[in-house]
Amino acid sequence: MATASLHHRTSGPIGNARPSVLWLGRLGWLAKGVVYVLAGVLAAAVAARSVGWSSAVAPDGEASPTGAIKEIATLTGGRFLLVGLATGLLLYALWRLYTAFAPGGSGAEAVAMRIGYGVSAILYFTFCLTAFGLARRPTTSADGNQKVVDMSARVMSHTAGRWAIALAGLIAIGAGLYRIVKGAKGDVQTELNLAGVSGDRRRLIKRLGIVGEIGRGIAISLIGYFLLRSGLDVKPQEATGLDGALRSLTVNGWGSALVAVVGIGFVAYGIFCLLTFTHRQPRAPS
């Protein structure tokens, strides 16, 4: 029954994409997995240091995808690794752009999916540019938190800009809650073709996906909260990227626990991507 449902969802032009196109997109998922694992380790390090584990082995870098990319730049052969990662992120952005415009449904749900795919394409294209930029100039500082503050200040300089930032925050909170619910329902295999995969491996993949979606949902909601507060208070400096949001939470015990959940979720989602990138199948908006 599950196999038939999956076939239905991926049927049509997008489901019958050329194998070369599918594999380019799958390499993008591989790059995405690497970024999430590293970002999760950095987030876990923030949580560990906040409770006094100063000897944590993970570096005290920016706990975000941008921070993960910066950490790769510090490794031996970092430039070559960054070029490979940037290429993979570009492929993933193109994959999402491809799915956003693929033939499919035109109802409300399909439109929402297309918008989500488009936003994802833009986001990962910016990560790609960050990686290429650091590969060209390793000393360049790419601060995800400051980028959000600067963007908020530019938007707020215009009429009704504060409300645009507040609306962006609400949308982000909604997107985060959607991911949390999606994870809680176990709806994490809609773009996978797991034919031939053993039952134990399927269960592992599903559990990693659930933990990953919930962790990502919490992270997106946190960013949305700070954007919303920034817009309502008319204070661009209150807007922040993921790293700033996580560090703001570590002033108390429950906040550190939440940051640890995000870190674990990111690592789980990264491993989920690494284990499933060969099984990825694009889903047409329906």
Side-chain angles (χ1 to χ4, degrees):
M1 181 67 69
T3 302
S5 175
L6 178 62
H7 177 73
H8 172 72
R9 287 183 174 184
T10 57
S11 62
I14 191 169
N16 296 326
R18 290 184 178 183
S20 58
V21 173
L22 287 178
W23 272 103
L24 288 176
R26 288 167 178 171
L27 290 176
W29 277 96
L30 176 64
K32 181 182 180 182
V34 171
V35 169
Y36 265 98
V37 168
L38 291 175
V41 170
L42 291 168
V46 169
R49 286 189 172 85
S50 71
V51 295
W53 293 359
S54 58
S55 59
V57 296
D60 189 22
E62 182 183 333
S64 67
T66 299
I69 294 169
K70 288 193 290 187
E71 289 300 323
I72 292 175
T74 66
L75 301 176
T76 302
R79 285 191 174 185
F80 297 102
L81 293 174
L82 282 172
V83 170
L85 183 65
T87 302
L89 292 172
L90 176 60
L91 290 173
Y92 181 77
L94 292 174
W95 169 288
R96 275 304 177 218
L97 198 61
Y98 172 64
T99 52
F101 289 99
S106 56
E109 182 181 355
V111 170
M113 287 179 64
R114 292 181 191 280
I115 292 173
Y117 290 157
V119 171
S120 181
I122 294 171
L123 180 63
Y124 283 92
F125 183 67
T126 62
F127 292 155
C128 164
L129 292 179
T130 297
F132 271 128
L134 286 170
R136 291 178 55 200
R137 295 185 297 276
T139 57
T140 300
S141 176
D143 189 331
N145 298 319
Q146 191 59 46
K147 286 181 179 179
V148 175
V149 173
D150 293 343
M151 180 273 293
S152 298
R154 286 195 297 270
V155 173
M156 285 189 194
S157 67
H158 299 286
T159 303
R162 61 176 292 196
W163 301 114
I165 293 297
L167 178 60
L170 285 174
I171 292 173
I173 291 172
L177 293 176
Y178 167 77
R179 294 231 165 258
I180 292 172
V181 172
K182 183 180 172 71
K185 290 181 175 179
D187 182 18
V188 297
Q189 298 174 317
T190 53
E191 289 188 273
L192 297 178
N193 183 352
L194 297 178
V197 177
S198 68
D200 288 341
R201 191 176 179 87
R202 282 173 183 256
R203 285 187 287 273
L204 172 62
I205 288 171
K206 185 173 182 178
R207 288 167 185 166
L208 288 170
I210 289 172
V211 175
E213 284 291 5
I214 292 174
R216 288 209 302 160
I218 293 173
I220 295 170
S221 297
L222 288 173
I223 295 173
Y225 165 74
F226 283 101
L227 284 173
L228 176 61
R229 192 175 73 174
S230 172
L232 295 178
D233 294 345
V234 200
K235 294 180 179 179
Q237 65 274 16
E238 290 185 357
T240 184
L242 177 59
D243 176 74
L246 295 179
R247 291 181 189 277
S248 296
L249 288 175
T250 57
V251 295
N252 53 56
W254 70 265
S256 296
L258 193 59
V259 173
V261 169
V262 171
I264 293 170
F266 274 20
V267 171
Y269 186 75
I271 297 174
F272 172 77
C273 291
L274 296 176
L275 289 179
T276 62
F277 81 95
T278 59
H279 301 282
R280 288 286 163 178
Q281 191 82 11
R283 175 187 172 186
S286 58

